[in-house]
Amino acid sequence: MTARPGFWTGAVAAGCVVATTALSAQNYATRLADGRTQLGRRNLDSAMIVLRGIARDPRAGATVRAEAFMWLGVAVFYQGQDSSARANLQEALRLDPLLLGAEPLHRLDSALGDWWEREQTLALCGEALPAWGWGWPPAGPSSTSPMNADARAGKAPEFRTHPPIQYPDHLRRQHVQGRVLARALLDSSGRAERGSVRIFATPHADFTRPVTRMIEDARYSAAVAGDTPVRSCIILPVDFSIRR
């Protein structure tokens, strides 16, 4: 039985889904695709009607609504409503701070991509810091991905050592496994700041304590800007798995 820092490899769905739920999810996906199509054709009014309908529908779920708000932000940006565009991007990230939007938005317009990076850094890190995802966003088995311009201009922190992660006995007995996605702020000496660990996703709440303890007690190299060690933010996946 192992628990170790891991790397983002994609979401895996398991179990049975009630047919009506699957049909509902398919319906929202179809409507979202229609909204994007209208947006691509610059039919902005039509796109906004579709996207607003999804964004305001709590039955759609947080991630679907977040994506709708993101594309709604693009639509109003094309109408020249910059403040409204940013407000929609912020609402998207409030609903799902892990939503992957930087790459498609940069392809559309560099200003949109820059806004998204700044807002996502604030949503995930709580302040404007150079930030990296260690295996997040998904970009390969051992990727360290800069999340903003400050990170791209600097050098990422690295793991030096970390203590063993305690697998909670009751979760091990119940064969509860999965990935925890956490955030930590590192000071300019490479230490995780106490109280800075935040869990964004976990298969069970009882994984929170061992992951927090591991991250806080680990040793890292500091992030570097120019020649100067600086505070930074990391997004870190930790895997809990049972070997048979």
Side-chain angles (χ1 to χ4, degrees), residues 73-197:
V74 174
V76 296
F77 173 81
Y78 285 151
Q79 289 187 330
Q81 302 177 45
D82 287 6
S83 60
S84 181
R86 295 191 73 163
N88 279 287
L89 299 186
Q90 289 167 348
E91 182 62 16
L93 288 163
R94 185 191 68 79
L95 289 166
D96 184 359
L98 299 171
L99 185 65
L100 301 179
E103 184 176 347
L105 295 186
H106 268 299
R107 287 199 300 266
L108 291 173
D109 190 282
S110 60
L112 281 170
D114 290 345
W115 286 355
W116 184 267
E117 287 184 345
R118 284 194 293 271
E119 296 300 336
Q120 188 162 48
T121 299
L122 292 173
L124 290 172
C125 302
E127 55 185 293
L129 292 171
W132 287 266
W134 289 1
W136 183 90
S142 59
S143 64
T144 302
S145 302
M147 290 170 50
N148 52 38
D150 289 338
R152 286 191 290 273
K155 180 181 177 183
E158 298 177 356
F159 253 130
R160 288 181 172 167
T161 62
H162 67 83
I165 308 171
Q166 182 65 44
Y167 206 124
D169 287 340
H170 65 291
L171 298 183
R172 181 183 59 201
R173 289 193 300 269
Q174 296 169 25
H175 297 280
V176 178
Q177 307 178 75
R179 167 156 291 168
V180 179
L181 198 61
R183 176 230 51 203
L185 306 183
L186 306 183
D187 64 23
S188 58
S189 69
R191 297 290 299 269
E193 297 177 358
R194 296 289 165 173
S196 75
V197 177

